[in-house]
Amino acid sequence: MKVTKAIIPAAGLGTRVLPASKSIPKEMLPIVDKPAIQYIVEEAVQSGITDILIITNRGKSPMEDHFDRSPELEERLLASGKRDLYDQIVDVTKIANIQYVRQKETKGLGHAVWCAKSFVGDDPFAVMYGDDVIISDNPVCGQLCKVYDEFGLAVAGIKEVTEEQILKYSSLKTEPIRDNLFKITDMIEKPKKDQVLSLYSILGRCVLPAKIFSILENTKPGAGGEIQLTDAMLQLAYTEGMIGVDYIGTRYDMGNKLGILQASIEVGLKHPEIRVELRKYLKDLVKSL
Ligand code: UTP
């Protein structure tokens, strides 16, 4: 079945990027000239997604404003002949059918996903973590949807991380299927050093069947006292199987100070308006390091 729905959990408190994220959602932090969430929505649309639900929270309304019309600004841009900018800001309001729901308490990613139950209905859906921007010529959400189409099983985007990072993420036990595809046979969220299953972790994207909601309803708080999506996905992996895709793409963690800088520099180096100047600036700067 073709996946046409995606949810973007973006209700987290963003404590790792405070104080920047106190009154600006981390999902709205810019990478060159677009907020992080716009890159994610564009990836969804390029992957064949038509309906998007963003899970929000108090203080996250700038995201809704970003995908809404802005009549005064539009008029001003037209009147001053800035047609290109006008087109850009109007186009983003028509990019997809975007809806919002509030997660009333920040109880974890699993709980945020659960808030999408009535939007999803019985359909399979993509989960695109709101603070993970992934740049690729081949949209990563689409890479996963293709695998869901083929196997009809839950699919997670996976990548190898460092020994330090794995303790903060999920760790997976995998068996190779072919090429970049793996069967996921076990997983643990935020493992202790002696619990690490491998350096493979679920990073940023997955495609899940609606069955996940009945599992989430019975999922008890796990690591950090939060309802963990990993714990619910483990049940899917045990009962019907789950596929990991070592996707092609570069992921930037916008919930992390270094990730934000890496995204700005690397995307900036490809941006037609600033790439030449940025490259020159970086080359000069490197000499002084
Ligand atoms: P993170 O754990 O990276 O986000 O969740 P966080 O809680 O904002 O981060 P820190 O640790 O406080 O800095 C991954 C994704 O899940 C969303 C976040 O917005 C992020 O996009 N999330 C997390 C929710 O929507 N609700 C939650 O209760 C927790």
Side-chain angles (χ1 to χ4, degrees):
M1 187 178 179
K2 206 171 160 342
V3 182
T4 58
K5 290 181 180 173
I7 69 165
I8 306 179
L13 298 177
T15 53
R16 284 168 296 150
V17 283
L18 279 170
S21 55
K22 186 181 172 200
S23 61
I24 302 169
K26 60 179 168 179
E27 296 80 5
M28 284 301 291
L29 294 174
I31 305 177
V32 188
D33 54 3
K34 291 189 284 191
I37 188 104
Q38 188 175 333
Y39 289 87
I40 298 175
V41 166
E42 285 172 354
E43 177 196 327
V45 171
Q46 287 157 9
S47 302
I49 300 291
T50 52
D51 295 273
I52 296 172
L53 180 76
I54 303 182
I55 322 284
T56 70
N57 201 337
R58 283 170 297 280
K60 299 270 186 173
S61 52
M63 281 190 287
E64 296 181 43
D65 295 340
H66 184 70
F67 294 103
D68 196 3
R69 297 293 295 263
S70 178
E72 278 177 16
L73 176 63
E74 290 166 21
E75 260 173 51
R76 183 68 61 87
L77 290 173
L78 276 185
S80 53
K82 295 184 173 146
R83 183 78 211 190
D84 272 8
L85 276 177
Y86 169 86
D87 287 343
Q88 276 184 45
I89 68 154
V90 172
D91 286 351
V92 81
T93 69
K94 301 179 191 158
I95 189 167
N97 171 27
I98 304 180
Q99 303 175 37
Y100 305 87
V101 69
R102 278 199 184 199
Q103 183 188 18
K104 296 197 177 78
E105 288 175 86
T106 317
K107 290 187 184 171
L109 181 58
H111 180 257
V113 170
W114 184 81
C115 296
K117 190 170 186 274
S118 62
F119 166 82
V120 167
D122 295 326
D123 301 326
F125 65 105
V127 183
M128 307 177 76
Y129 300 15
D131 55 0
D132 279 324
V133 169
I134 310 181
I135 305 289
S136 178
D137 292 338
N138 182 2
V140 169
C141 177
Q143 294 178 39
L144 270 56
C145 291
K146 232 174 117 194
V147 175
Y148 182 89
D149 248 4
E150 181 182 343
F151 290 85
L153 294 176
V155 182
I158 65 172
K159 280 268 162 221
E160 278 185 306
V161 299
T162 64
E163 283 175 18
E164 271 163 34
Q165 287 169 327
I166 200 75
L167 308 178
K168 296 184 214 149
Y169 296 148
S170 58
S171 171
L172 309 175
K173 193 169 173 190
T174 58
E175 287 170 14
I177 300 177
R178 61 160 205 258
D179 309 321
N180 60 341
L181 302 189
F182 297 81
K183 187 170 183 232
I184 299 176
T185 57
D186 204 355
M187 63 181 100
I188 178 167
E189 182 67 29
K190 300 194 176 58
K192 305 246 163 26
K193 264 190 179 162
D194 59 351
Q195 293 175 314
V196 171
L197 300 166
S198 79
L199 293 181
Y200 263 123
S201 185
I202 297 179
L203 287 190
R205 305 284 181 267
C206 42
V207 176
L208 299 171
K211 216 170 282 166
I212 195 78
F213 293 108
S214 54
I215 302 175
L216 278 169
E217 258 151 47
N218 297 307
T219 303
K220 303 263 172 322
E226 296 194 330
I227 298 181
Q228 297 289 353
L229 183 60
T230 308
D231 295 340
M233 288 195 289
L234 178 61
Q235 293 310 311
L236 276 182
Y238 280 163
T239 51
E240 45 195 68
M242 183 157 179
I243 313 286
V245 181
D246 188 346
Y247 56 75
I248 301 157
T250 309
R251 165 188 171 264
Y252 300 103
D253 181 358
M254 295 297 288
N256 169 309
K257 297 178 183 79
L258 185 62
I260 296 170
L261 289 174
Q262 287 166 329
S264 291
I265 294 169
E266 294 185 23
V267 174
L269 282 170
K270 291 188 192 136
H271 193 286
E273 226 175 285
I274 58 164
R275 66 180 169 215
V276 174
E277 269 178 279
L278 179 62
R279 198 179 154 82
K280 185 179 174 311
Y281 164 74
L282 287 175
K283 280 188 154 177
D284 288 346
L285 185 69
V286 162
K287 286 183 205 149
S288 68
L289 297 180

